[in-house]
Amino acid sequence: MNKIALITGATSGIGKACAFKFAQNGYDLIITGRRKERLLSIKKEIELGYTSNVLPLNFDVQDKEQIQQTIDSLDAGWKKIDVLINNAGLALDLKPINEGNFTDWDIMIDTNIKGVLYMSNIVSKLMIERESGHIINIGSIAGKEVYPNGNVYCVTKHAIDGLTKAMRIDLMKHKIKVTQIAPGAVGTEFSEVRFKGDQEKAQKVYDGYKPLSGEDVADVVYYATTLPPHVNINDLLIMPMAQANATIFDRK
Ligand code: NDP
Ligand code: 8X3
């Protein structure tokens, strides 16, 4: 029987790259996101190219009732989740604290923090029944440092940095590994979402250097799952060569 990975936010970027990486390595996949059409086309593409079975689940990680109902309704086979990748997340805008938009703040906090809490609570219960599992939280350099106007997004990723440590303590006795993978700049739809469709602003983020790709991050996420049972990567910061920290880039 294949192992199963559940990936939140698999319709784009890092999550989508993780779906393909885990499929290449023989996993069955539960892929989730709000954009149903994308989930269906990714399922089709993966099932054409690999032997994996793919179950698309269309929900918003902000909606705890919907998550609970959806996971409860899985059949016993799909409930045997080996790897949970808490990847779904977003930034909305870059504004000083006095100019921030409350709706944007709520969406970032509800998605990036509460979404990870709901998913981890619900899926860890299934892992605890089997005394086995691995939860990988996608953090960020923004969870290690702060940068101008990043306030609320940075705080959500600092929360993931702390939560990953806390979950590791709670779940260690159940033989569940907990890992944070924290990337620097990754060339995904992230900046397009942050700048609400403004392509020019989004492109400027990556001007003059090569950011990580979703695939670069997926390779590292997958690697973390390949280690022997007694070995865990607690925390891993992965950066583009041309990014020294949250704010210093070597742009040519
Ligand atoms: P993308 O915008 O390309 O992908 C984000 C994914 O999250 C999409 O699949 C989206 O799916 C999903 N998502 C967003 N909101 C929700 C929601 N409410 N419910 C369910 N799914 C949701 O960005 P990335 O791949 O770059 O981002 C993935 C993760 O990586 C995020 O947590 C981000 O914070 C983090 N990260 C990104 C970095 C970067 O520079 N790109 C660097 C460090 C960390 P859909 O819209 O279909 O729901
Ligand atoms: C996403 C990367 O640029 O906001 O977490 O630090 S950034």
Side-chain angles (χ1 to χ4, degrees):
M1 220 181 67
N2 290 343
K3 286 188 171 181
I4 296 174
L6 189 164
I7 304 162
T8 66
T11 56
S12 169
I14 297 169
K16 181 177 172 183
C18 285
F20 280 85
K21 183 74 189 176
F22 279 75
Q24 271 163 29
N25 287 283
Y27 273 74
D28 287 338
L29 300 171
I30 302 176
I31 54 172
T32 84
R34 294 165 300 175
R35 287 171 288 183
K36 195 174 178 183
E37 288 311 311
R38 286 206 187 189
L39 290 173
L40 295 178
S41 83
I42 290 165
K43 169 183 164 68
K44 203 167 158 187
E45 203 182 329
I46 290 178
E47 287 184 341
L48 273 176
Y50 307 96
T51 55
S52 306
N53 298 301
V54 182
L55 180 66
L57 296 181
N58 181 215
F59 60 77
D60 186 324
V61 294
Q62 298 174 89
D63 185 341
K64 53 185 176 300
E65 282 83 20
Q66 209 189 357
I67 301 172
Q68 186 74 65
Q69 274 171 17
T70 310
I71 301 293
D72 284 351
S73 69
L74 293 178
D75 70 31
W78 280 111
K79 280 185 176 156
K80 292 182 179 163
I81 297 163
D82 296 285
V83 179
L84 166 64
I85 305 173
N86 280 317
N87 163 76
L90 78 175
L92 291 171
D93 229 327
L94 261 181
K95 289 261 167 72
I97 197 73
N98 51 304
E99 289 177 24
N101 173 290
F102 291 166
T103 306
D104 286 349
W105 290 2
D106 286 343
I107 295 170
M108 286 188 277
I109 290 166
D110 290 351
T111 307
N112 300 1
I113 305 178
K114 289 159 99 181
V116 173
L117 290 171
Y118 301 147
M119 288 302 303
S120 300
N121 170 286
I122 291 166
V123 174
S124 69
K125 286 179 179 135
L126 300 175
M127 292 176 166
I128 287 170
E129 282 173 19
R130 300 169 55 229
E131 290 283 295
S132 164
H134 195 160
I135 299 178
I136 300 183
N137 294 331
I138 303 299
S140 172
I141 182 66
K144 306 285 184 186
E145 298 173 37
V146 290
Y147 51 82
N149 304 324
N151 42 61
V152 175
Y153 176 71
C154 294
V155 161
T156 66
K157 290 297 178 181
H158 275 70
I160 294 307
D161 195 55
L163 178 65
T164 307
K165 294 176 197 161
M167 279 168 50
R168 192 175 305 117
I169 297 170
D170 298 344
L171 297 175
M172 182 170 62
K173 61 178 170 290
H174 299 292
K175 311 278 180 260
I176 296 167
K177 294 184 182 184
V178 183
T179 296
Q180 170 172 249
I181 305 292
V186 192
T188 60
E189 293 176 13
F190 178 85
S191 294
E192 209 180 307
V193 171
R194 166 170 257 171
F195 296 116
K196 302 177 179 178
D198 185 331
Q199 306 277 352
E200 210 181 309
K201 264 189 175 173
Q203 202 40 53
K204 278 205 177 115
V205 174
Y206 310 110
D207 266 359
Y209 73 99
K210 186 171 181 181
L212 300 170
S213 64
E215 288 73 18
D216 293 327
V217 180
D219 285 350
V220 172
V221 171
Y222 177 69
Y223 171 71
T225 68
T226 61
L227 300 171
H230 69 289
V231 183
N232 185 49
I233 291 181
N234 284 4
D235 191 11
L236 199 151
L237 187 58
I238 168 175
M239 304 290 285
M241 181 58 204
Q243 182 181 7
N245 61 25
T247 51
I248 299 179
F249 292 80
D250 178 28
R251 295 182 197 263
K252 294 275 183 292

PDB file of all heavy atoms in Angstrom, residues 140-142 147 153 184 190 194, ligand 2:
ATOM      1  N   SER A 140       8.645  30.470   6.995  1.00  0.00           N
ATOM      2  CA  SER A 140       9.218  31.469   6.081  1.00  0.00           C
ATOM      3  C   SER A 140      10.397  32.166   6.763  1.00  0.00           C
ATOM      4  O   SER A 140      10.464  32.214   8.000  1.00  0.00           O
ATOM      5  CB  SER A 140       8.157  32.521   5.745  1.00  0.00           C
ATOM      6  OG  SER A 140       8.725  33.596   5.024  1.00  0.00           O
ATOM      7  N   ILE A 141      11.262  32.773   5.954  1.00  0.00           N
ATOM      8  CA  ILE A 141      12.249  33.708   6.516  1.00  0.00           C
ATOM      9  C   ILE A 141      11.491  34.804   7.282  1.00  0.00           C
ATOM     10  O   ILE A 141      12.010  35.334   8.276  1.00  0.00           O
ATOM     11  CB  ILE A 141      13.153  34.306   5.384  1.00  0.00           C
ATOM     12  CG1 ILE A 141      14.224  35.250   5.932  1.00  0.00           C
ATOM     13  CG2 ILE A 141      12.340  35.029   4.331  1.00  0.00           C
ATOM     14  CD1 ILE A 141      15.261  34.615   6.791  1.00  0.00           C
ATOM     15  N   ALA A 142      10.254  35.069   6.866  1.00  0.00           N
ATOM     16  CA  ALA A 142       9.425  36.075   7.557  1.00  0.00           C
ATOM     17  C   ALA A 142       8.967  35.601   8.939  1.00  0.00           C
ATOM     18  O   ALA A 142       8.390  36.381   9.700  1.00  0.00           O
ATOM     19  CB  ALA A 142       8.209  36.432   6.688  1.00  0.00           C
ATOM     20  N   TYR A 147      10.418  42.459   8.342  1.00  0.00           N
ATOM     21  CA  TYR A 147      10.899  43.433   7.351  1.00  0.00           C
ATOM     22  C   TYR A 147       9.885  44.571   7.257  1.00  0.00           C
ATOM     23  O   TYR A 147       8.735  44.420   7.689  1.00  0.00           O
ATOM     24  CB  TYR A 147      11.165  42.761   5.999  1.00  0.00           C
ATOM     25  CG  TYR A 147      10.039  41.904   5.456  1.00  0.00           C
ATOM     26  CD1 TYR A 147       8.955  42.460   4.778  1.00  0.00           C
ATOM     27  CD2 TYR A 147      10.072  40.521   5.618  1.00  0.00           C
ATOM     28  CE1 TYR A 147       7.928  41.663   4.272  1.00  0.00           C
ATOM     29  CE2 TYR A 147       9.053  39.717   5.115  1.00  0.00           C
ATOM     30  CZ  TYR A 147       7.988  40.306   4.448  1.00  0.00           C
ATOM     31  OH  TYR A 147       6.980  39.513   3.963  1.00  0.00           O
ATOM     32  N   TYR A 153       1.846  39.679   8.233  1.00  0.00           N
ATOM     33  CA  TYR A 153       2.298  38.438   7.580  1.00  0.00           C
ATOM     34  C   TYR A 153       3.472  37.846   8.369  1.00  0.00           C
ATOM     35  O   TYR A 153       3.499  36.640   8.644  1.00  0.00           O
ATOM     36  CB  TYR A 153       2.700  38.691   6.116  1.00  0.00           C
ATOM     37  CG  TYR A 153       3.256  37.436   5.476  1.00  0.00           C
ATOM     38  CD1 TYR A 153       2.417  36.355   5.180  1.00  0.00           C
ATOM     39  CD2 TYR A 153       4.625  37.296   5.213  1.00  0.00           C
ATOM     40  CE1 TYR A 153       2.932  35.170   4.637  1.00  0.00           C
ATOM     41  CE2 TYR A 153       5.135  36.123   4.669  1.00  0.00           C
ATOM     42  CZ  TYR A 153       4.281  35.061   4.381  1.00  0.00           C
ATOM     43  OH  TYR A 153       4.785  33.896   3.853  1.00  0.00           O
ATOM     44  N   GLY A 184      13.109  31.332   1.917  1.00  0.00           N
ATOM     45  CA  GLY A 184      13.175  32.736   1.515  1.00  0.00           C
ATOM     46  C   GLY A 184      12.320  32.907   0.266  1.00  0.00           C
ATOM     47  O   GLY A 184      11.348  32.170   0.079  1.00  0.00           O
ATOM     48  N   PHE A 190       2.743  33.819  -5.065  1.00  0.00           N
ATOM     49  CA  PHE A 190       2.707  34.503  -3.770  1.00  0.00           C
ATOM     50  C   PHE A 190       2.639  36.037  -3.902  1.00  0.00           C
ATOM     51  O   PHE A 190       1.789  36.689  -3.284  1.00  0.00           O
ATOM     52  CB  PHE A 190       3.953  34.087  -2.971  1.00  0.00           C
ATOM     53  CG  PHE A 190       4.095  34.742  -1.639  1.00  0.00           C
ATOM     54  CD1 PHE A 190       3.462  34.233  -0.516  1.00  0.00           C
ATOM     55  CD2 PHE A 190       4.885  35.883  -1.484  1.00  0.00           C
ATOM     56  CE1 PHE A 190       3.601  34.842   0.734  1.00  0.00           C
ATOM     57  CE2 PHE A 190       5.028  36.493  -0.244  1.00  0.00           C
ATOM     58  CZ  PHE A 190       4.390  35.975   0.862  1.00  0.00           C
ATOM     59  N   ARG A 194      -0.162  38.708  -3.064  1.00  0.00           N
ATOM     60  CA  ARG A 194       0.119  39.790  -2.099  1.00  0.00           C
ATOM     61  C   ARG A 194      -0.297  41.141  -2.681  1.00  0.00           C
ATOM     62  O   ARG A 194      -0.902  41.959  -1.998  1.00  0.00           O
ATOM     63  CB  ARG A 194       1.608  39.797  -1.730  1.00  0.00           C
ATOM     64  CG  ARG A 194       2.035  41.052  -1.016  1.00  0.00           C
ATOM     65  CD  ARG A 194       3.439  40.976  -0.445  1.00  0.00           C
ATOM     66  NE  ARG A 194       3.360  40.756   0.991  1.00  0.00           N
ATOM     67  CZ  ARG A 194       4.388  40.471   1.779  1.00  0.00           C
ATOM     68  NH1 ARG A 194       5.583  40.335   1.277  1.00  0.00           N
ATOM     69  NH2 ARG A 194       4.222  40.312   3.073  1.00  0.00           N
TER      70      ARG A 194
HETATM   71  C1  8X3 B   2       7.325  34.791   1.906  1.00  0.00           C
HETATM   72  C2  8X3 B   2       8.619  35.433   1.668  1.00  0.00           C
HETATM   73  O1  8X3 B   2       9.242  37.788   1.056  1.00  0.00           O
HETATM   74  O2  8X3 B   2       7.451  37.602   2.591  1.00  0.00           O
HETATM   75  O3  8X3 B   2       7.207  34.243   3.160  1.00  0.00           O
HETATM   76  O4  8X3 B   2       9.691  37.086   3.322  1.00  0.00           O
HETATM   77  S1  8X3 B   2       8.713  37.059   2.221  1.00  0.00           S
END
